[in-house]
Amino acid sequence: MLSFKEKDRPIVRKLLCAGCCVRCVLRFCCVGTCSAYRRSYEDIHKELLAFISEESSPQPHDASGEEKTDEPTNKRLRIDEGSTEGSVTAAQTDSDICPVCLGVLQDFCEPTFAKQVSDAVKNQQYEFDSLVLTVSLPAQLSVREHSCWLHVKKEIREKSMCLGKEDVIQVKDAFKWAVQGKIGQELGAAVLANSSCEVSVGFMHPETEEDCHFLANTCPDCFKPTKNKASIFTRMAVVKALEKISEEKFSRHYPCPPKKTNTRCTALDTTCLHTSVFIAGRYNKFSRELPQTPWVIDGERRMDGSVEELIAAPLLSSFRADGFNFSSSGREDVDVRTLGNGRPFAVELLNPHRAKFNRTEIKQLQETINQSSDKIRVRDLQIVTREATSRMKEGEEEKTKTYSALIWTQKAIDSTDLEFLANIKDLKIAQKTPLRVLHRRPLAVRPRLIHSMSSIYLDRHHFTLKLCTQAGTYIKEFVHGDFGRTKPNLCDLMKTNADILELDVESVDIDWPPAIPD
Amino acid sequence: MEDSEKKAPSVIDRYFTRWYRTDLKGKSCEDHCILQHSNRICVITLAESHPILQNGRKIKNINYQISDGCSRLKNKVSGKSKRGGQFLTEFAPLCRITCTDEQEYTIFSCIRGRLLEVNEAILNKPDLLLEKPSTEGYIAVILPKFEESKSVTEGLLTREQYEEVLTKRNQQEEPC
């Protein structure tokens, strides 16, 4: 049973006269219990009628300062017949569509619609145990709500009461309360205020789209011109304009209460969206002919395959995601191998239809990736939070990396010529943007540190150089000098022309993501 | 691994294509070599046949101030799109080099594009230009317009065509 107060009686009467649906009436009576809106239309209607036909102690209709109001019993009959006290405009249609919610709180609150929504979600085959329901309503509903509120306000002000707009229950909330129980039941999931799975229900009403247009004339500064052909009457802009416009001005431009319509809202397709899932790990690259990301020039693929595609493909299919974003702590050239523990990476899987995986299943995914190609290897694969991925980008700028390079020298050398390299600590170098990346990077001079070096003599013109450097150091340019634009460089140190024949990344010194023991 | 001076292709061989312009502005033998990177950036250098590099000449002075209002040293680019760089046409002068024998030579851009940088190292150490004209002694770095990346080398000679020019000169015994 709903508990009404005396002050609600004139509101209920006035709204029913104006053709409002029963749930909108409940809203303006500030009924805040969810279960009230779940009841059937007939049930609520019956109770409302019963309420307004109750008599309290007989009072004159226009007594001032009195809280209790009274109406003669023949009022109820008149309301039942659909005629009014004269507060409704002449141009009244016969339709029974609520002029405030345009049907959203009428047929769309029936179990059949809730089942329709649930079926649409089931068709998209998401796995979830909870969901959040979001509703989008056409902007003109705010205008109609405002109009109805003013209509009600006028009545109760005469009786020295007040009804704040914030006290009125919003259409969105009433709708959710009415349907979420049934939707949750159909889908076997809890409907919560927050969840990683979002089910969106939307409505539109083309017939009344122009209801908002007068606001552009009365409050022009609320409406910003849009870039594409989208309407300037966004929900936010309309709400803002309604806050600004005076009651008197509004009433001049828009009928209070709002006029009835011939059609009700149409429901848009139900859409689902799951928040992204992040998978992190470390990768090794064993091929010297594999780019990290797809290599495309002028729309043409230059080289088949890429590290990111090899890692993401099995993840995309297991998580049934729509797409992915790959990022890593730095990267290496096509012709450079990544050895040792590998380079940290994170894959953001977009709109995954399945998001729950246990450790064993993730281990299995790691195996699948490793079996798919001998060009890469992945370890420490795990699900991480979005926040955790920032640890990885930290590594890109702050941490050190170690390399191994095969060096050719123009002059003949013997092993004693290399000894001095081991004694060099924290060598400061200045690198102008290398010519090979200058087309897509700004021209700048980068100070960098070569922390330490060591060497392994191979023959008179070759040796292996191991280096530990600051993040962001261009190793190839340090070796050959890049037209003298990296200073000092290995040619300067060794006093000969030198070139780099092969480069390997030996380690990326960052301790994220956490190691997963086998 | 081979124990010899012969080796794998150099940085220039791996990443650049050599193009040439000979007898710039009709001046005999004033040849330039344009190194075009696969990413379309061009490095302007003296070709090995340029007079400055012949007969043990020494450099007295290199001047990037090519007119009262314009110094290539003042060139400043910013951002990824290299805004602010002076736009050059084929015969825009890059610098003037005076040798100790008072011969003066102008080095030209040879291609259309935005000037990214001129080599300041040779101001301090002109010998770099004589010893390593193709690498540390480069003159300037130019970025052609994206739409012109392919067409920018039209009108330039390939390595083979340049060598033919040299052969013809030797036959005619032109002094350089």
Side-chain angles (χ1 to χ4, degrees):
Chain A
M1 288 301 279
L2 300 159
S3 57
F4 289 111
K5 304 184 191 54
E6 278 306 321
K7 66 177 176 72
D8 296 330
R9 218 183 294 265
I11 298 176
V12 174
R13 280 202 185 103
K14 206 153 191 195
L15 291 177
L16 288 177
C17 278
C20 281
C21 70
V22 299
R23 292 189 181 96
C24 281
V25 174
L26 291 185
R27 293 191 302 110
F28 278 89
C29 293
C30 310
V31 172
T33 44
C34 318
S35 51
Y37 297 86
R38 277 209 295 272
R39 297 169 57 183
S40 75
Y41 200 91
E42 294 73 29
D43 266 0
I44 305 174
H45 197 208
K46 235 200 283 181
E47 224 180 290
L48 284 174
L49 291 180
F51 172 62
I52 50 172
S53 64
E54 276 170 26
E55 301 286 339
S56 40
S57 48
Q59 296 269 341
H61 172 53
D62 54 356
S64 55
E66 297 284 346
E67 268 206 319
K68 297 197 174 166
T69 65
D70 211 12
E71 297 284 354
T73 37
N74 54 9
K75 200 92 260 239
R76 173 171 55 127
L77 296 168
R78 273 200 234 147
I79 286 167
D80 275 354
E81 284 163 10
S83 62
T84 72
E85 211 186 352
S87 59
V88 176
T89 59
Q92 192 72 301
T93 71
D94 280 341
S95 90
D96 54 359
I97 298 169
C98 173
V100 181
C101 70
L102 298 179
V104 171
L105 295 178
Q106 293 175 283
D107 288 342
F108 291 110
C109 287
E110 296 296 312
T112 38
F113 183 69
K115 178 132 201 322
Q116 219 178 301
V117 170
S118 310
D119 286 345
V121 175
K122 280 187 197 159
N123 279 344
Q124 295 179 51
Q125 297 184 310
Y126 281 83
E127 276 183 29
F128 50 85
D129 359 80
S130 73
L131 62 100
V132 58
L133 187 63
T134 58
V135 181
S136 75
L137 301 170
Q140 54 270 39
L141 248 56
S142 311
V143 177
R144 288 174 166 263
E145 182 86 356
H146 193 86
S147 150
C148 190
W149 174 61
L150 288 182
H151 178 62
V152 165
K153 224 170 99 149
K154 188 159 147 289
E155 166 84 20
I156 58 177
R157 196 184 280 144
E158 286 162 12
K159 300 180 167 77
S160 310
M161 291 182 292
C162 104
L163 173 68
K165 204 170 178 196
E166 326 71 58
D167 300 327
V168 174
I169 307 295
Q170 291 203 24
V171 175
K172 263 192 206 184
D173 293 331
F175 176 78
K176 286 189 206 178
W177 292 337
V179 302
Q180 67 194 19
K182 176 80 179 165
I183 292 180
Q185 198 183 41
E186 283 284 323
L187 296 175
V191 181
L192 307 174
N194 245 311
S195 166
S196 41
C197 189
E198 181 190 12
V199 173
S200 300
V201 175
F203 296 96
M204 62 171 190
H205 198 255
E207 186 191 330
T208 55
E209 249 155 46
E210 292 179 0
D211 272 18
C212 307
H213 290 192
F214 73 94
L215 289 170
N217 298 327
T218 58
C219 307
D221 50 323
C222 289
F223 297 95
K224 299 199 180 83
T226 54
K227 286 185 193 152
N228 32 24
K229 302 248 174 81
S231 165
I232 59 168
F233 297 104
T234 62
R235 279 173 222 111
M236 281 205 56
V238 168
V239 165
K240 214 165 134 201
L242 290 172
E243 279 167 16
K244 284 181 79 172
I245 192 173
S246 71
E247 288 184 24
E248 185 263 328
K249 215 172 186 182
F250 183 92
S251 316
R252 264 192 286 134
H253 285 88
Y254 197 84
C256 301
K259 285 215 196 87
K260 282 190 159 192
T261 61
N262 293 315
T263 59
R264 71 166 82 93
C265 280
T266 8
L268 303 168
D269 285 339
T270 304
T271 57
C272 301
L273 188 66
H274 199 291
T275 52
S276 294
V277 166
F278 291 83
I279 311 271
R282 300 179 84 107
Y283 72 82
N284 286 109
K285 178 158 101 75
F286 301 123
S287 162
R288 293 198 191 279
E289 289 169 3
L290 186 68
Q292 200 212 44
T293 54
W295 193 354
V296 178
I297 299 195
D298 295 335
E300 252 186 68
R301 221 13 144 106
R302 279 304 173 86
M303 210 176 250
D304 277 334
S306 63
V307 173
E308 75 168 31
E309 286 165 311
L310 287 173
I311 295 178
L315 298 178
L316 267 183
S317 76
S318 301
F319 282 76
R320 289 187 279 126
D322 291 346
F324 70 92
N325 287 326
F326 181 91
S327 58
S328 61
S329 180
R331 47 185 179 171
E332 59 287 309
D333 290 340
V334 171
D335 57 351
V336 174
R337 296 187 304 179
T338 307
L339 309 175
N341 264 348
R343 188 184 294 278
F345 69 87
V347 179
E348 177 185 3
L349 294 166
L350 303 170
N351 198 17
H353 285 52
R354 181 188 164 189
K356 280 212 157 44
F357 284 77
N358 61 36
R359 277 228 163 154
T360 323
E361 289 166 322
I362 299 286
K363 258 277 152 73
Q364 185 56 49
L365 269 175
Q366 184 174 291
E367 255 318 289
T368 309
I369 297 174
N370 290 336
Q371 299 287 356
S372 70
S373 164
D374 53 6
K375 295 184 180 177
I376 60 157
R377 201 214 133 145
V378 160
R379 73 176 75 221
D380 302 334
L381 199 65
Q382 57 197 270
I383 294 182
V384 298
T385 62
R386 182 189 287 270
E387 294 67 42
T389 59
S390 59
R391 296 286 317 278
M392 178 181 67
K393 282 303 178 183
E394 261 172 40
E396 191 161 329
E397 265 122 60
E398 296 160 22
K399 306 296 186 175
T400 59
K401 322 243 159 122
T402 65
Y403 300 88
S404 167
L406 176 59
I407 310 293
W408 167 87
T409 56
Q410 187 165 42
K411 77 175 186 197
I413 54 167
D414 61 41
S415 56
T416 55
D417 293 321
L418 301 176
E419 280 163 14
F420 78 102
L421 291 171
N423 298 327
I424 300 178
K425 297 291 174 223
D426 290 335
L427 174 68
K428 283 201 189 110
I429 66 171
Q431 303 197 279
K432 277 196 195 165
T433 309
L435 292 179
R436 69 185 164 94
V437 300
L438 187 52
H439 62 297
R440 56 182 166 84
R441 288 271 153 81
L443 180 61
V445 181
R446 291 169 184 74
R448 288 290 182 264
L449 286 176
I450 310 284
H451 293 301
S452 63
M453 290 184 279
S454 68
S455 57
I456 301 170
Y457 180 81
L458 294 171
D459 63 41
R460 283 156 48 82
H461 292 281
H462 299 91
F463 70 98
T464 303
L465 177 68
K466 290 207 190 286
L467 325 87
C468 175
T469 72
Q470 185 181 357
T473 307
Y474 288 93
I475 306 297
K476 293 178 180 175
E477 279 69 17
F478 170 68
V479 172
H480 60 63
D482 189 36
F483 290 71
R485 297 165 76 257
T486 289
K487 283 268 181 209
N489 54 63
L490 192 65
C491 303
D492 296 332
L493 295 178
M494 301 215 38
K495 300 199 187 9
T496 173
N497 272 346
D499 201 0
I500 180 169
L501 302 182
E502 277 176 8
L503 180 61
D504 291 333
V505 179
E506 295 283 354
S507 74
V508 176
D509 304 322
I510 170 178
D511 53 11
W512 184 90
I516 307 249
D518 275 327
Chain B
M1 254 159 300
E2 282 170 36
D3 180 45
S4 72
E5 299 258 343
K6 204 155 50 114
K7 67 167 194 77
S10 66
V11 173
I12 296 182
D13 297 326
R14 277 186 279 134
Y15 290 112
F16 293 85
T17 310
R18 292 178 170 87
W19 298 93
Y20 295 85
R21 199 163 224 151
T22 52
D23 306 315
L24 251 305
K25 288 247 180 145
K27 303 236 182 103
S28 141
C29 296
E30 288 190 25
D31 306 331
H32 294 40
C33 175
I34 298 96
L35 298 172
Q36 184 193 37
H37 194 283
S38 49
N39 67 18
R40 89 184 193 275
I41 286 191
C42 294
V43 184
I44 312 302
T45 67
L46 296 183
E48 62 240 41
S49 49
H50 197 285
I52 294 179
L53 303 176
Q54 313 306 316
N55 305 327
R57 277 201 174 85
K58 284 285 183 205
I59 295 176
K60 185 166 109 172
N61 173 257
I62 301 178
N63 193 357
Y64 282 112
Q65 181 94 37
I66 51 151
S67 72
D68 281 337
C70 179
S71 162
R72 298 303 182 199
L73 288 176
K74 293 234 163 66
N75 192 65
K76 254 196 151 38
V77 294
S78 64
K80 235 191 267 190
S81 44
K82 321 297 187 296
R83 247 168 307 166
Q86 297 162 4
F87 195 82
L88 307 172
T89 54
E90 288 100 315
F91 296 108
L94 290 173
C95 65
R96 289 189 223 288
I97 300 180
T98 315
C99 294
T100 46
D101 60 3
E102 298 309 321
Q103 290 276 56
E104 209 188 75
Y105 301 93
T106 304
I107 315 299
F108 296 95
S109 165
C110 301
I111 56 163
R112 284 167 55 85
R114 208 183 274 280
L115 178 65
L116 297 188
E117 68 180 46
V118 291
N119 190 354
E120 295 189 31
I122 55 177
L123 285 180
N124 306 322
K125 217 176 149 216
D127 282 350
L128 268 180
L129 180 50
L130 301 172
E131 289 158 25
K132 297 183 176 172
S134 302
T135 54
E136 282 184 71
Y138 72 95
I139 306 290
V141 178
I142 298 179
L143 176 68
K145 281 192 191 180
F146 184 75
E147 316 81 73
E148 292 176 15
S149 347
K150 301 269 161 69
S151 60
V152 81
T153 50
E154 278 161 24
L156 299 177
L157 304 176
T158 62
R159 175 86 200 173
E160 291 81 47
Q161 291 166 332
Y162 169 66
E163 282 172 2
E164 276 170 38
V165 169
L166 293 184
T167 319
K168 274 208 203 98
R169 273 189 204 153
N170 288 337
Q171 288 165 358
Q172 289 165 5
E173 289 178 36
E174 274 177 27
C176 264

